[in-house]
Amino acid sequence: MWQNIKDFAADFFVTGDPLIYGADVAIVLTMSAIVFVLTYFKKWKWLWTEWLTTVDHKRIGIMYVIASLLMLFRGGMDALLMRTQLVMPEMEFLSPEHYNEIFTTHGVIMILFMAMPLMFGLFNLVVPLQIGARDVAFPFLNSLSFWLFFAGAMLFNISFVIGGSPNAGWLAYPPLSGTMFNPGVGQDFYIWGIQISGIGSLATGINFIVTILKMRAPGMKLMKMPMFSWSVLGSCLAIILAFPILTVTLALSFIDRYFGAHFFTLDGGGNPMMYINLIWMWGHPEVYIVVLPAFGIFSEIVATFARKKLFGYKSMVFAIMAISVVSFITWAHHFFTMGSGADVNAFFAVSTMIIAIPTGVKVFNWIFTMFKGKVSFETPMLWTVLGFIPCFVVGGMTGVMLSVAPADFQFHNSYFLIAHFHQTLIGGVVFGYIAGLVYWWPKVFGFKLNEKLGKWSFWFWNIGFYVCFMPQYVVGLMGMTRRVSTYSWDSGWWGLNLVSTIGGFLMGAGFLIMVWQILHSIKFMERDTTGDPWNGRTLEWSIPSPAPMYNFARTPVVEHLDDWWEKKQRKAKGEPEKPLAPLEPIHMPKNSGIPIIMSGFWFLAGFGLVFDWLWMAIPGFLGVFACMFAHSFNYDTDYYIPVDEIERTEAAARGTV
Amino acid sequence: MASNKNHAAQARAGNHGHDGHHDLESLRLMGFWIFLITDCILFGTLFATYAVLSNSTAGGPTGAEMFEMPGIIAETFILLTSSFTSGLALLCMNRGDRKGLIGWLAVTAALGACFIGLELNEFVHLVHEGVTIGTSAYWSAFYTLVSTHGIHVTIGLFWMIAIMIQLGKHGITPVTRRKVNVIGLYWHFLDVVWIFVFTVVYMMEVM
């Protein structure tokens, strides 16, 4: 009996690595601390009613942001572990097996559990406010999306202490990820972690398309909609077209592993190359899904801090839509070496290069917006103009280099590629979302982040970035391939790798300063009483910060692009303001515990399937269906906020003005 | 009770734009249309997979050797008929005839259940003949595509039953009306998908 338990535990928990034991202790201590604090301060009920069951898009947005910053920390730790291993030739810090696991989890976490939720967090925090809506189209579904992401992320993350991490790369190409070469549970964690959170992403895509198309304030024609909302629309269109492909791809991979099917196997007529086509049909649009909203953020920030209307608004809209469409016909540039022939490669090379055109249009638009503007360099602008634009221009140009099919045979799978995609994803996505976070922070929390620490963080990130990735272009051209866990002294790669590692740690320091900046600002914040600390242009700045639960006391009526700015201009000219409409009761959705419970059942189902425990998986799925039925039969889902309560809330919020 | 509340809410929300119940129902209908687009892509991906693997039998049996068309043609007619009866249910709803609505939904569900029964029968038969999901890539693609459609139909059945219970409890309200519209869309969509399955998987294989 005792021996059985010991055998089980040896399989179940990851053992034999001091780093993992350290993580085990840290996890147990953190969990106990959280439970202790919540119990000691009697906060469980508050947590449940105010946060875990909330359907308020602003709170869901905050939860997304917190979760994604935690994931940024974990993905960043993975990066630093890898850079430590590569700092010198013949290092023995990580074993090759452990290294495989770390680059796999680093990639998955950064794209799917950091970039995506940070993006959804910003969608939730900003879009309804920006289009003058009281909520998203489907508040219940919105909460469900968040909890599905959370369940998926947790399922993926526990793999490193329970069962073992996936190790076949962030896109898990077969046959390496098939049972023949990968019989353990790591790949199953990969499949179910991503599958569960992917369902949530798909739902968010649907939710925000309907929100943007149907819930804009009266008068806000599509061509009067703020740029960030446009970019969200473009991104969501790509989500609904791309994510079903991911769902199918992961499902087929699961069927291969679990039922012994032959989609991607080497025997039985299977075709591993088909997986690579399928995964990139999702994977390529995915990088545009995460970068388009960043483009929207930059557009808002540049216009705000140049005190000018965005240059070429219509061409910006066109560029966003063009990018979201063209991104679907470029996927094969990820494997020019597949052997599909010159004509196919030429098609995908040209379609890839075409994307540079609308992207270039956008860069020129941002620059022309600043031209003759009253430009000021607060932190969000710093991230945009000094961080993003140069970084993305270089990243874009190396991208065009990679898109030249014959040249790609040389760059393929080298560190040149690593440097390129980190340059676009960090320079575009991470810089963009940080800029957005700093920009909208006062709207969400009611105070600005500390400028000085923000600038320090920016410079550490930005300099660290170049120090880290510029050497990688060179070392890639010198022949160092991605995913190698070590190299020899006579390769001549040492110096460049050392510099690169130093850069990685500088970026880590930038992250720490950012955390410090947030904590410092929480402690010494100065409350923003204006609701419009940056002298903004769009509707979200017309209401108090933080926004009241119902967002707008009166439905705003929009007449212009940048309506709030125009209103302020008219007021400054002394034109009389229009009389306010009387307040009316506001229709709001009720909180619901079903999303978090249902996601808990998804977690059980996923965990059960990972370990092949049907006794756990089947009740998990039954629980999911029970939750769906419970929700379908619940007709008591909304309520009205009475006028006197709105008056009280508004008076409290405006009273400080 | 609930329906009264809904009507009151609708009346209050009627004159100002974009909140309140009435608009909420139209939002949900639109959301469902977009969901159907995503489901189209899901099936499209499975069809593409099937097309790529349609000759990958690895020397094993082909579909043409194994399919027994009479059962499959019967399945097809049953499913097409169920689309028709779901349309009749909708007509009843528009006349305000709750009994007729629930009755036709019940007929639709029964036909759907027959379809699932025949499909399971086909699978059992194939497995008895020794053709399973692991036989070859072709059969992996076959079972996955056909059973994904079957799972959709099964979910639709349970969903329809839930809606019939709600119709019994609440009658025809804006909320149940939207739910019936949505399941109707879903059911027709599955019918269209089946026509593609029938053509691509069965007809093109045996012709």
Side-chain angles (χ1 to χ4, degrees), chain A residues 251 290 317 377 386 412 503 524 536 598 648:
Chain A
V290 290
V317 171
F377 280 92
L386 295 183
H412 192 77
F524 300 104
M598 185 161 153
R648 272 201 307 277

Side-chain angles (χ1 to χ4, degrees), chain A residues 243-270:
Chain A
F243 267 75
I245 309 178
L246 176 70
T247 308
V248 171
T249 313
L250 291 170
L252 299 185
S253 173
F254 169 72
I255 292 169
D256 263 7
R257 289 180 62 85
Y258 197 85
F259 296 106
H262 291 287
F263 288 107
F264 312 125
T265 56
L266 294 174
D267 58 343

Side-chain angles (χ1 to χ4, degrees), chain A residues 373-610:
Chain A
K374 293 194 200 87
V375 184
S376 63
F377 280 92
E378 277 93 340
T379 341
M381 192 64 163
L382 213 56
W383 284 102
T384 304
V385 177
L386 295 183
F388 160 71
I389 292 181
C391 195
F392 203 79
V393 166
V394 177
M397 285 191 296
T398 53
V400 174
M401 283 171 76
L402 282 160
S403 75
V404 180
D408 184 70
F409 274 64
Q410 195 61 36
F411 307 140
H412 192 77
N413 273 353
S414 75
Y415 261 79
F416 188 88
L417 167 80
I418 305 272
H420 158 71
F421 71 71
H422 280 95
Q423 183 137 33
T424 48
L425 285 173
I426 293 179
V429 178
V430 178
F431 286 9
Y433 293 175
I434 294 176
L437 211 54
V438 180
Y439 177 62
W440 279 301
W441 188 278
K443 182 45 64 192
V444 179
F445 296 102
F447 60 92
K448 274 197 201 178
L449 285 175
N450 183 298
E451 276 286 316
K452 201 171 147 209
L453 286 171
K455 285 179 176 157
W456 273 101
S457 164
F458 166 76
W459 286 112
F460 267 94
W461 266 99
N462 202 45
I463 294 171
F465 172 82
Y466 286 97
V467 175
C468 184
F469 290 102
M470 291 304 122
Q472 294 189 7
Y473 280 118
V474 183
V475 87
L477 292 177
M478 288 164 73
M480 182 162 161
T481 54
R482 70 199 291 203
R483 293 170 181 166
V484 290
S485 68
T486 190
Y487 49 92
S488 61
W489 284 100
D490 54 8
S491 60
W493 302 338
W494 178 31
L496 290 164
N497 272 301
L498 176 70
V499 173
S500 179
T501 300
I502 292 170
F505 277 90
L506 286 176
M507 287 163 82
F511 177 79
L512 288 183
I513 298 171
M514 216 172 81
V515 174
W516 180 23
Q517 177 198 15
I518 292 173
L519 296 177
H520 181 274
S521 309
I522 290 173
K523 188 141 189 242
F524 300 104
M525 64 186 177
E526 206 175 297
R527 228 179 110 49
D528 163 46
T529 52
T530 61
D532 186 13
W534 310 113
N535 196 6
R537 311 177 67 82
T538 42
L539 279 182
E540 72 266 33
W541 304 110
S542 68
I543 51 173
S545 350
M549 186 171 46
Y550 46 76
N551 298 353
F552 296 88
R554 296 172 181 82
T555 306
V557 180
V558 174
E559 289 164 9
H560 305 273
L561 179 65
D562 295 344
D563 199 66
W564 173 238
W565 176 261
E566 298 291 335
K567 257 195 199 108
K568 286 191 285 189
Q569 298 298 101
R570 280 205 303 272
K571 200 174 167 189
K573 277 191 219 141
E575 285 180 32
E577 286 183 75
K578 287 188 184 140
L580 290 172
L583 288 170
E584 288 179 57
I586 294 175
H587 181 233
M588 295 297 283
K590 274 190 182 164
N591 282 4
S592 172
I594 292 178
I596 183 171
I597 295 170
M598 185 161 153
S599 304
F601 280 118
W602 268 109
F603 183 92
L604 280 186
F607 195 81
L609 284 173
V610 166

Side-chain angles (χ1 to χ4, degrees), chain A residues 132-134 136-138 202 205-206 209-211 213-218 240-242 244-245 247-249 252 255-256 259-264 267-271 274 278 555-556 584-587 625 628-629 631-638 640, chain B residues 2 5-6 9-10 12-13 15-16 18-21 24 26-28 30-32 34-35 37-39 41-43 45-46 48-49 52-53 56-58 133-138 140-141 144 155 158-159 161-163 165-166 169-170 173 175-176 179:
Chain A
R134 295 233 161 86
V136 295
F138 311 114
L202 188 59
I206 297 175
I209 290 178
V210 179
T211 305
L213 291 182
K214 293 286 245 188
M215 294 178 71
R216 276 167 291 128
I240 64 156
L241 300 178
I245 309 178
T247 308
V248 171
T249 313
L252 299 185
I255 292 169
D256 263 7
F259 296 106
H262 291 287
F263 288 107
F264 312 125
D267 58 343
N271 186 348
M274 192 173 67
L278 285 172
T555 306
E584 288 179 57
I586 294 175
H587 181 233
F625 285 113
M628 284 161 89
F629 270 81
H631 179 60
S632 172
F633 280 86
N634 181 13
Y635 278 60
D636 178 25
T637 52
D638 31 29
Y640 277 85
Chain B
K5 218 161 68 190
N6 290 335
Q10 206 185 330
R12 248 180 297 173
N15 51 354
H16 58 104
H18 62 288
D19 66 358
H21 264 289
L24 214 60
S26 85
L27 283 184
R28 286 177 173 162
M30 182 188 187
F32 193 76
I34 298 178
F35 164 76
I37 295 175
T38 68
D39 227 21
I41 294 167
L42 185 131
F43 277 109
T45 313
L46 286 171
T49 307
V52 169
L53 298 176
S56 305
T57 52
I133 198 166
T135 300
S136 66
Y138 170 80
S140 305
T144 304
I155 290 172
F158 284 108
W159 187 1
I161 292 165
I163 291 173
I165 298 169
Q166 289 172 40
K169 256 167 81 178
H170 304 292
T173 69
V175 179
T176 52
K179 288 188 178 191

Side-chain angles (χ1 to χ4, degrees), chain B residues 22-198:
Chain B
H22 180 70
D23 263 16
L24 214 60
E25 299 311 319
S26 85
L27 283 184
R28 286 177 173 162
L29 196 61
M30 182 188 187
F32 193 76
W33 271 105
I34 298 178
F35 164 76
L36 283 185
I37 295 175
T38 68
D39 227 21
C40 265
I41 294 167
L42 185 131
F43 277 109
T45 313
L46 286 171
F47 274 108
T49 307
Y50 178 85
V52 169
L53 298 176
S54 59
N55 293 320
S56 305
T57 52
T62 63
E65 289 164 32
M66 303 304 300
F67 294 147
E68 297 195 354
M69 289 308 281
I72 289 145
I73 291 167
E75 270 181 57
T76 307
F77 276 109
I78 287 170
L79 200 64
L80 291 182
T81 314
S82 79
S83 239
F84 179 67
T85 57
S86 79
L88 292 179
L90 224 63
L91 287 178
C92 286
M93 181 173 78
N94 290 341
R95 276 205 312 270
D97 171 7
R98 166 158 76 161
K99 253 193 184 151
L101 166 59
I102 296 176
W104 282 118
L105 282 182
V107 174
T108 309
L111 290 168
C114 283
F115 171 85
I116 292 295
L118 282 171
E119 186 160 275
L120 284 177
N121 187 45
E122 188 207 3
F123 284 180
V124 169
H125 170 76
L126 285 171
V127 171
H128 268 292
E129 300 279 309
V131 189
T132 66
I133 198 166
T135 300
S136 66
Y138 170 80
W139 289 103
S140 305
F142 166 83
Y143 278 108
T144 304
L145 173 57
V146 177
S147 66
T148 302
H149 176 267
I151 290 167
H152 272 72
V153 175
T154 313
I155 290 172
L157 282 179
F158 284 108
W159 187 1
M160 211 176 268
I161 292 165
I163 291 173
M164 288 191 294
I165 298 169
Q166 289 172 40
L167 281 168
K169 256 167 81 178
H170 304 292
I172 300 171
T173 69
V175 179
T176 52
R177 182 182 289 275
R178 182 252 312 163
K179 288 188 178 191
V180 174
N181 278 326
V182 161
I183 188 86
L185 272 179
Y186 182 74
W187 204 257
H188 292 313
F189 168 75
L190 289 181
D191 216 349
V192 173
V193 172
W194 178 258
I195 291 170
F196 279 94
V197 173
F198 180 71

Side-chain angles (χ1 to χ4, degrees), chain A residues 529 544 648-657:
Chain A
T529 52
R648 272 201 307 277
T649 314
E650 285 295 298
R654 302 276 177 194
T656 50
V657 172

